[in-house]
Amino acid sequence: MKNLKFIFVSILLILGLLIFNCLKADVIYSTGLGGYWNDPYTWTDTIVPTPEDDVFIVGPVEVESGTECASLTVEAFGDLFGEWWYGGNINVYGDVENLGTIRHVPQAPNGA
């Protein structure tokens, strides 16, 4: 009976660790050159942030529709901007720290 309890507790512990590891947020940094949020080359590890990720903006990053992250930090020289005519909004589900610039571009360029 003791072995059965040990096996059961071991399985629960392993499952708990696996679930915790999957829920842990990644930290993702933009490159100094920046780019569009949904472009993998905007990010240092070419991984586009998901709603579970903590994001640090280092260069100019343009927000597009459907943009989400767990937390957001705009570094001193970072620039996060959205264009309303493209649906440039961001959902941040945690803390926002702005040491740089967060702005909304108010009008469409010529021809848009």
Side-chain angles (χ1 to χ4, degrees), residues 5-98:
K5 286 182 182 179
F6 176 76
I7 292 171
F8 181 72
V9 170
S10 297
I11 290 172
L12 286 178
L13 180 62
I14 291 169
L15 287 174
L17 290 172
L18 288 173
I19 290 170
F20 176 76
N21 192 36
C22 290
L23 296 177
K24 187 179 75 171
D26 287 328
V27 176
I28 298 181
Y29 288 85
S30 72
T31 64
L33 295 175
Y36 292 104
W37 184 284
N38 293 328
D39 182 355
Y41 294 105
T42 299
W43 309 101
T44 56
D45 291 330
T46 64
I47 298 171
V48 176
T50 67
E52 293 81 29
D53 296 324
D54 298 321
V55 175
F56 287 80
I57 304 296
V58 179
V61 175
E62 183 174 342
V63 174
E64 300 168 322
S65 62
T67 303
E68 300 176 292
C69 63
S71 70
L72 176 70
T73 300
V74 180
E75 297 291 349
F77 296 103
D79 181 16
L80 180 70
F81 61 98
E83 299 171 339
W84 64 266
W85 63 91
Y86 287 134
N89 295 314
I90 183 170
N91 290 322
V92 181
Y93 300 109
D95 296 331
V96 175
E97 184 175 5
N98 184 16

